[in-house]
Amino acid sequence: MKNYKLVLLKGDGIGPEIVDEAVKVLDKAADKFGFSVEYDEALLGGCAIDAVGVPLPDETVEKCKAADSVLLGAVGGPKWDTLPGNLRPEAGLLGIRGALGLFANLRPAVIFEPLKCASPLRDDIIGKALDIMVVRELTGGIYFGERGRKEVNGSSAAYDTEMYTVPEIERIARVAFEMAMNRNKKLTSVDKANVLESSRLWRETVLKVAEEYPEVELNHLYVDNCAMQLVRNPGQFDVIVTSNIFGDILSDEASMISGSIGMLASASLNENKAGLYEPIHGSAPDIAGQGIANPLATILSVAMMLKHSLDQPQAADAIENAVAQALEKYRTPDIYTEGTKKVTCKEMGDIVCSLL
Ligand code: IPM
Ligand code: MG
């Protein structure tokens, strides 16, 4: 029987509650589909700062490197907001992305049919369905470029650098083209090539990689135009590939169109396809510990893990179907509408298990 080694980074806020429910669902899927999962836990973010003084302990990196995959809850909270940049929980997140080489961030924005009314966009703008995959470069660009402070003409100044190498652009472009090949063969590359040199190299490189994928229909958009098009006509998009910072912004926008940020999963992959999986919502410190968080994005992150890292696509489909079925009748408070039954975080986990 295939056995997988998983590291859980429960993190802060609602992180522990939602990860517990996702683990429950994964165990049920393992039972049903004939594999087993072994868990280890490690610290990341605020809980790591509290326990050992740094947001990303070496031990966490070692454990994650040795694992088949990593499941992350969420990190951060007001308690740690006043710490210097390199000691904030977010630094732990960037650190683990860098340490594991997680250069490809997949952020699907989908509308679940029963939640369609939650989208802030009108029905006629959404159209029949919404299913966008944002492929965000995650270990380069301005997030990891040289930054600092200096004096300019007697005043304090600060700078951050956006830089991409050709191999960095090529590998993320390939992930996006492959993704497009498995979907509707439509790819939009987003840049700011009318202004930025790094974007001009981005576009040139994406065009070169496109020669390997003649079947994929490729177009380019400037990031400002893309932001506008996403709310004007989101149905025009299938796969979007873009840089770290543009992807950060556009993936939040795309997720909001789906109306339920509490529902969206994400995957961050490296060259070996061992990935880190996490819900795209944050640690929601305001509702932590109350048992009312929505565990579905974390449960759907487990489904992504089964598909992209553990090679158990049937189990992944089964979880996605169970979530869709659960939504017909049951809702956590964040997505509650009249006519459905309001349930707790734990109840939602149990319901998904029972529908598996
Ligand atoms: C995200 C988050 C992070 C990012 C923060 C928390 C560092 O916004 O995963 O999108 O900017 O990448
Ligand atoms: Mg973000």
Side-chain angles (χ1 to χ4, degrees):
M1 184 157 74
K2 188 97 186 103
N3 179 51
Y4 301 104
K5 289 202 171 73
L6 231 69
V7 169
L8 305 176
L9 305 172
K10 294 186 176 178
D12 310 317
I14 58 171
E17 316 163 37
I18 54 181
V19 168
D20 285 348
E21 296 316 306
V23 164
K24 213 153 75 182
V25 172
L26 181 54
D27 282 339
K28 178 79 195 283
D31 256 6
K32 191 163 175 214
F33 290 90
F35 59 91
S36 61
V37 188
E38 236 173 88
Y39 302 95
D40 195 358
E41 284 188 35
L43 297 170
L44 179 77
C47 60
I49 297 171
D50 287 350
V52 294
V54 291
L56 177 60
D58 292 341
E59 194 195 357
T60 297
V61 175
E62 292 320 312
K63 281 185 176 180
C64 290
K65 276 187 176 162
D68 292 311
S69 199
V70 180
L71 182 65
L72 168 63
V75 298
K79 182 175 174 195
W80 307 282
D81 272 351
T82 50
L83 292 168
N86 61 337
L87 284 179
R88 290 175 57 119
E90 289 85 351
L93 193 56
L94 297 185
I96 194 81
R97 288 173 182 170
L100 301 181
L102 304 170
F103 70 92
N105 186 209
L106 312 181
R107 296 190 168 187
V110 290
I111 289 195
F112 296 83
E113 192 54 37
L115 297 179
K116 211 171 164 186
C117 57
S119 172
L121 294 188
R122 287 198 316 263
D123 272 7
D124 62 307
I125 294 180
I126 298 170
K128 271 204 233 44
L130 182 90
D131 184 355
I132 301 174
M133 176 66 86
V134 178
V135 178
R136 169 190 178 193
E137 200 291 326
L138 202 61
T139 52
I142 201 165
Y143 272 62
F144 289 83
E146 195 192 319
R147 69 177 105 253
R149 301 242 172 164
K150 59 181 179 183
E151 197 145 303
V152 177
N153 300 330
S155 302
S156 312
Y159 63 96
D160 302 272
T161 318
E162 173 83 345
M163 183 172 86
Y164 271 109
T165 64
V166 168
E168 280 176 319
I169 304 167
E170 281 172 346
R171 66 181 181 178
I172 191 70
R174 284 206 178 90
V175 169
F177 276 106
E178 293 290 336
M179 184 68 63
M181 285 299 286
N182 287 322
R183 294 170 48 112
N184 296 320
K185 301 196 168 67
K186 198 163 175 276
L187 175 63
T188 304
S189 173
V190 176
D191 60 40
K192 188 72 186 170
N194 50 346
V195 178
L196 304 177
E197 197 54 36
S198 51
S199 278
R200 290 194 264 272
L201 183 68
W202 180 279
R203 194 176 280 218
E204 279 163 35
T205 309
V206 170
L207 274 168
K208 273 202 197 106
V209 176
E211 291 167 13
E212 299 164 30
Y213 300 91
E215 283 175 58
V216 175
E217 183 196 324
L218 170 70
N219 71 322
H220 304 270
L221 285 184
Y222 298 139
V223 62
D224 49 349
N225 187 16
C226 182
M228 189 259 280
Q229 296 294 339
L230 270 171
V231 288
R232 197 184 73 96
N233 175 19
Q236 71 184 285
F237 295 105
D238 182 19
V239 181
I240 293 176
V241 62
T242 192
S243 64
N244 205 339
I245 182 116
F246 295 161
D248 178 45
I249 298 164
L250 293 176
S251 63
D252 265 25
E253 188 188 1
S255 71
M256 193 58 226
I257 294 170
S258 84
S260 38
I261 195 159
M263 292 296 305
L264 298 182
S266 79
S268 304
L269 306 177
N270 57 22
E271 309 270 7
N272 320 320
K273 296 261 162 162
L276 180 146
Y277 295 80
E278 59 178 312
I280 75 163
H281 61 70
S283 59
D286 51 320
I287 59 161
Q290 296 176 26
I292 56 170
N294 182 349
L296 292 177
T298 318
I299 291 170
L300 290 166
S301 297
V302 162
M304 283 190 95
M305 175 190 289
L306 288 164
K307 199 175 294 176
H308 296 286
S309 289
L310 306 185
D311 210 17
Q312 297 284 349
Q314 283 178 317
D317 289 345
I319 291 177
E320 282 171 7
N321 289 336
V323 167
Q325 247 182 293
L327 282 173
E328 305 272 337
K329 280 202 204 129
Y330 304 98
R331 306 287 172 85
T332 43
D334 57 310
I335 51 173
Y336 173 77
T337 46
E338 224 165 287
T340 60
K341 184 171 180 333
K342 204 182 275 183
V343 297
T344 64
C345 180
K346 189 176 166 302
E347 284 166 340
M348 187 57 106
D350 291 336
I351 289 161
V352 174
C353 281
S354 71
L355 290 168
L356 250 181

